[in-house]
Amino acid sequence: MAELKSISLNEKAWRRLKRNRSAMVGLAIIVLAVLLSIFAYVAAPDNSPSGNEQILQLETHPPGFAIKILKKKREGATASGFLDGMLNGFVKNYEPIPVLDYKITGDSIAYTEYKGRGFNAEPNKISLTDLAGRNLNSITEKDFENEFIVHKIFLLGTDKFGRDILSRLLIGVRVSLSVGLISVFISLIIGIVLGALAGYFKGWIDEGIMWVINVFWSIPTLLLAMGLYISAGSLIENKLVMIFIAVGLTMWVETARIVRGQFLSIREMDFVSAARSLGFGDARIIFKHILPNIMGPIIVVACSNFASAILVESGLSYIGLGIQPPAPSWGSMLNEYKDFIDTNKAYLALFPGLAIMLLVLAFNLVGNGLRDALDVKGQLD
């Protein structure tokens, strides 16, 4: 007789989650976003710090626009190393010059500089020594092409400063995910502790914590985040840290309510009574016995809070209280180009809006999938 293989509850939940196609699509989007946030400066066409390489001649050019960039050596500039570039972007040691064509003539290069739409192209000439910042006795056209010419295609177009929109969207993933991750972490710590105390001890502790929850619950999330952001401005100089704290302090209420409700029901179960009869302390019962049994709902609410944190950060950036320029944020990009929405350059506002929508949708899909997968009621496998 074949031996029956026991399957853990976690494995059963994973199997149910894998059968949920929408949740797996959301998970794939989240994994892709995480990878892009880690390797943003490798994947971005413009890997300068904050994707802030400004070529004013290329302002608001449409998606798919392509042009050659002539690299002119900057005096005293040194390029970034790989590790520093991965974290903060690669500092360029050249000045980008958009050109339509070029030709090597002896010891100099003749080129036609692109001045932008509506402007006549301008013929120009520069010595190879000035271009390269060093003496070049002889150079073939192929070597020149490899070292001094960049063929750029702006897949999503350029903004009003001639910056690559795709690059700024990719780098902006870091902001959204970092705000979501740290804010949710802050909200989980506060929410779990207060919810556990309220649900386990009940009485005046429960009443006091519920009063605080109801006060926070009555204030609109974005308005509360704005107040916390502004009030902390005099204490904390780093804007990103302020956003972490402000958003995190608006997310804990939902976590606390869920944890409190779970504790109220589980504290009366037999295994909790058995732990008390064995003389275990309240702290051990709360964190060693009850809390591990309610991780399912906590994980689900964490996914929901992650999506909410992205929206709150985007809202703060939209009204100018979030990440400050030139650092890219989807919310600030949306605010910067909202006036273009009824023009033929609507893509400037649509691309960051779609990015916000897609990432928020992904976390909501995963959250719904986890809720179904972790709900053992009515599940056969």
Side-chain angles (χ1 to χ4, degrees):
M1 185 175 180
E3 183 179 353
L4 294 176
K5 181 182 178 181
S6 61
I7 302 176
S8 67
L9 292 177
N10 289 337
E11 188 175 351
K12 290 181 179 180
W14 173 241
R15 287 184 177 183
R16 289 193 291 269
L17 184 64
K18 286 195 296 183
R19 289 200 295 265
N20 190 324
R21 293 184 180 180
S22 60
M24 295 309 294
V25 169
L27 184 61
I29 294 173
I30 293 171
V31 170
L32 178 61
V34 171
L35 291 176
L36 287 176
S37 69
I38 296 172
F39 301 104
Y41 284 110
V42 175
D46 173 17
N47 57 9
S48 61
S50 299
N52 194 43
E53 184 179 71
Q54 300 183 17
I55 309 176
L56 298 180
Q57 302 96 310
L58 306 183
E59 55 92 19
T60 60
H61 279 58
F65 174 76
I67 197 165
K68 300 183 185 75
I69 301 294
L70 179 65
K71 301 191 295 185
K72 180 183 176 183
K73 179 74 175 181
R74 282 197 180 109
E75 290 294 334
T78 56
S80 302
F82 181 75
L83 290 179
D84 183 53
M86 281 277 293
L87 294 174
N88 305 307
F90 294 85
V91 177
K92 305 296 178 63
N93 61 352
Y94 64 85
E95 174 189 346
I97 303 173
V99 299
L100 298 176
D101 54 59
Y102 62 92
K103 184 178 181 181
I104 299 175
T105 57
D107 61 350
S108 62
I109 174 78
Y111 61 90
T112 304
E113 184 176 355
Y114 178 71
K115 289 294 186 178
R117 290 172 301 183
F119 295 90
N120 294 326
E122 182 178 297
N124 214 329
K125 193 174 186 179
I126 187 173
S127 70
L128 290 174
T129 301
D130 291 339
L131 178 71
R134 66 183 191 275
N135 291 324
L136 292 177
N137 296 325
S138 63
I139 186 170
T140 66
E141 191 165 332
K142 182 177 180 182
D143 291 338
F144 180 85
E145 175 90 10
N146 292 334
E147 186 172 354
F148 297 104
I149 296 294
V150 178
H151 294 267
K152 276 204 168 186
I153 301 177
F154 298 91
L155 295 177
L156 300 184
T158 60
D159 65 9
K160 64 182 180 181
F161 297 108
R163 299 176 296 193
D164 182 47
I165 292 176
L166 176 60
S167 300
R168 291 180 64 79
L169 285 176
L170 292 177
I171 297 169
V173 175
R174 282 190 176 186
V175 174
S176 295
L177 288 183
S178 61
V179 169
L181 180 63
I182 298 178
S183 300
V184 167
F185 180 73
I186 293 172
S187 70
L188 286 178
I189 292 176
I190 299 173
I192 288 174
V193 171
L194 293 182
L197 293 176
Y200 183 81
F201 291 107
K202 299 197 295 186
W204 66 269
I205 295 179
D206 183 29
E207 292 176 1
I209 292 175
M210 283 305 299
W211 182 85
V212 175
I213 288 175
N214 289 331
V215 170
F216 273 81
W217 193 263
S218 65
I219 305 173
T221 301
L222 187 58
L223 185 62
L224 179 60
M226 288 172 55
L228 292 170
Y229 180 92
I230 294 171
S231 62
S234 59
L235 303 175
I236 304 172
E237 294 184 2
N238 191 307
K239 300 294 184 183
L240 191 58
V241 173
M242 280 199 299
I243 292 175
F244 293 154
I245 296 173
V247 177
L249 291 177
T250 63
M251 299 282 105
W252 66 270
V253 176
E254 183 66 24
T255 304
R257 291 178 69 250
I258 295 294
V259 171
R260 173 183 176 272
Q262 294 293 317
F263 263 77
L264 286 174
S265 61
I266 291 180
R267 72 184 300 276
E268 307 298 337
M269 290 187 174
D270 292 340
F271 74 92
V272 177
S273 300
R276 288 198 192 100
S277 66
L278 290 173
F280 294 152
D282 293 329
R284 175 168 178 170
I285 295 174
I286 290 173
F287 294 104
K288 292 283 188 179
H289 297 271
I290 300 180
L291 193 58
N293 285 281
I294 64 169
M295 289 308 297
I298 291 176
I299 292 172
V300 173
V301 78
C303 282
S304 175
N305 282 350
F306 213 116
S308 299
I310 293 171
L311 287 176
V312 172
E313 183 279 323
S314 298
L316 288 174
S317 296
Y318 183 82
I319 59 178
L321 294 179
I323 303 299
Q324 299 302 305
S329 166
W330 293 346
S332 60
M333 292 174 69
L334 191 61
N335 174 52
E336 196 171 357
Y337 301 110
K338 64 181 183 298
D339 295 333
F340 290 87
I341 199 68
D342 57 350
T343 69
N344 60 354
K345 296 182 177 67
Y347 61 87
L348 291 168
L350 288 177
F351 288 141
L354 288 173
I356 295 170
M357 182 197 74
L358 191 62
L359 193 56
V360 170
L361 177 63
F363 277 102
N364 284 330
L365 290 176
V366 172
N368 292 337
L370 286 170
R371 180 195 62 202
D372 296 337
L374 295 172
D375 183 12
V376 297
K377 295 179 181 178
Q379 301 286 353
L380 298 177
D381 59 344

